Amino acid sequence: MNRSSRLFPLLRALAAPSPVVGGQAVMEGVMMRNGDVFGLAVRQPDGGILARRLPWFSLTRRPWLRAPFVRGFPILLETLVNGIRALNRSVEMADGGNGDAAPLTPWQISLTLGLALLMAVGLFVVAPHLLSLIMLWLDLGGDVEGLSFHLWDGFFKCCIFLGYIWLISLVPEIRRVFQYHGAEHKTIHAFESGGPVEACGARGMSRLHPRCGTTFLLFVICISIILQALLVPLLLAVWTPESAVAKHVLSIGFKLLLVIPISALAYELIRYAARLPDGPVARLLRTPGLGLQRLTTHEPDERQMEVAVVALAEALGRDADTEIRTPPYSRL
């Protein structure tokens, strides 16, 4: 097989339109996105299901921002913004409200997003770097110019990521969110398989999905380990500050800048892996992410499946080509 015959299928997969439906678990509910809107459904304290349809905030309306290897970072940011909005609404609705309270203002969303990004930077960039410095001081690894430093950095990054997921899974409320996460995946599988979608039938689908955000985060971590191990020593070979503190501050700052190309590469990789036909390459790319989803998803019950199906119905709207069989619910 020549190079062009291998390259063209890859380019077609990357340039293909984005999947119709994606989702996210929220407090006592599910959010489903369909293009420029998303549906939000929540199980209320009285047992009823309350749902609404909301516009999707987008950062990729300009064509060049939707180009392959560009779109990953803005899509990551807009997903975080919409996830915060949906989570805020779900908390109101799950507490018995109707979700008509004043929405988060732009500065409140910016502050929440900033705090979330700050925590992510602290946990997955600064903390692994500092722990790798401890290995250097213990004479168990080299300095930041060497490979061993970045191997330790990657090891600590993976440990923090897996440990964080395991710890939050012990919280009962988060375990329920993970059940709704499984319900979201099962419902999307049922929708993508064709035919009517209903809670009973969708419950038999897999709770693991190759396009999951958990898989995306895993790809981000793996790509960051490789790129940082290659590019940080290269940067320091070009210019190294005289101060050791300045050298490590420069290294951490450069790692933060690398988040943009890393997220772009991870987004294209997860899209490519999801579109590959079953085979050795597809299994190689999908298996780690699907294995990680066994921690971030749990089997949902029938009532949680009903909520996910309602969220899908709201996202698709009344003109959906697929028949969505929902239980009775209230719509805002």
Side-chain angles (χ1 to χ4, degrees):
M1 182 180 293
N2 58 40
R3 181 179 298 178
S4 62
S5 63
R6 295 193 300 267
L7 181 61
F8 289 146
L10 171 60
L11 294 178
R12 284 196 298 269
L14 295 179
S18 296
V20 174
V21 174
Q24 172 187 314
V26 294
M27 294 302 294
E28 287 302 323
V30 172
M31 179 265 278
M32 292 280 192
R33 181 199 176 182
N34 175 28
D36 293 330
V37 299
F38 67 88
L40 180 64
V42 172
R43 180 73 71 177
Q44 293 198 291
D46 62 4
I49 300 175
L50 185 62
R52 67 183 307 175
R53 200 169 193 237
L54 295 163
W56 180 267
F57 169 77
S58 178
L59 294 172
T60 55
R61 298 195 183 278
R62 295 182 180 275
W64 70 272
L65 287 172
R66 296 193 297 269
F69 299 103
V70 174
R71 57 195 170 187
F73 187 66
I75 286 177
L76 172 62
L77 291 180
E78 73 176 40
T79 301
L80 288 172
V81 170
N82 287 284
I84 292 169
R85 291 175 60 212
L87 186 61
N88 176 58
R89 290 298 190 187
S90 72
V91 171
E92 297 171 7
M93 295 160 68
D95 284 341
N98 59 11
D100 285 336
L104 291 175
T105 62
W107 76 265
Q108 287 174 322
I109 292 177
S110 299
L111 178 61
T112 305
L113 179 61
L115 291 174
L117 292 175
L118 186 63
M119 186 182 76
V121 167
L123 280 176
F124 302 114
V125 178
V126 177
H129 192 96
L130 295 178
L131 289 171
S132 300
L133 271 177
I134 293 175
M135 294 298 104
L136 168 63
W137 292 333
L138 294 175
D139 202 24
L140 296 176
D143 206 345
V144 69
E145 297 93 345
L147 179 62
S148 63
F149 185 96
H150 299 285
L151 291 178
W152 277 118
D153 186 278
F155 171 76
F156 289 125
K157 196 173 298 183
C158 291
C159 289
I160 291 171
F161 180 56
L162 294 175
Y164 175 79
I165 291 176
W166 178 73
L167 282 174
I168 64 173
S169 71
L170 300 179
V171 180
E173 291 80 3
I174 299 300
R175 288 185 64 85
R176 286 192 60 79
V177 172
F178 285 177
Q179 285 181 285
Y180 279 109
H181 191 191
E184 172 228 323
H185 285 180
K186 287 172 178 282
T187 303
I188 292 176
H189 273 304
F191 171 71
E192 292 174 340
S193 66
V197 179
E198 58 183 343
C200 183
R203 195 175 178 190
M205 297 289 179
S206 172
R207 76 175 198 265
L208 313 178
H209 198 286
R211 291 199 318 270
C212 177
T214 305
T215 303
F216 174 76
L217 291 177
L218 180 62
F219 282 4
V220 165
I221 288 176
C222 293
I223 294 172
S224 71
I225 293 171
I226 296 171
L227 286 187
Q228 290 171 9
L230 293 173
L231 297 181
V232 172
L234 181 61
L235 171 68
L236 295 176
V238 174
W239 179 69
T240 303
E242 294 183 5
S243 166
V245 173
K247 178 175 67 175
H248 286 281
V249 170
L250 174 65
S251 300
I252 292 174
F254 186 56
K255 289 178 182 181
L256 294 179
L257 290 177
L258 286 176
V259 169
I260 297 175
I262 286 169
S263 60
L265 287 171
Y267 182 77
E268 303 306 330
L269 184 59
I270 193 174
R271 279 173 54 87
Y272 178 61
R275 293 173 184 275
L276 279 175
D278 290 336
V281 176
R283 286 194 294 272
L284 177 66
L285 291 175
R286 294 174 187 168
T287 298
L290 295 178
L292 184 59
Q293 287 176 48
R294 295 186 182 278
L295 294 177
T296 62
T297 63
H298 294 305
E299 285 294 329
D301 58 32
E302 187 80 14
R303 287 164 55 83
Q304 291 167 325
M305 289 301 308
E306 290 175 347
V307 173
V309 172
V310 169
L312 176 65
E314 286 296 306
L316 296 177
R318 299 184 183 278
D319 298 328
D321 295 331
T322 303
E323 181 184 357
I324 312 295
R325 300 171 182 170
T326 67
Y329 69 96
S330 302
R331 186 175 186 272
L332 293 174

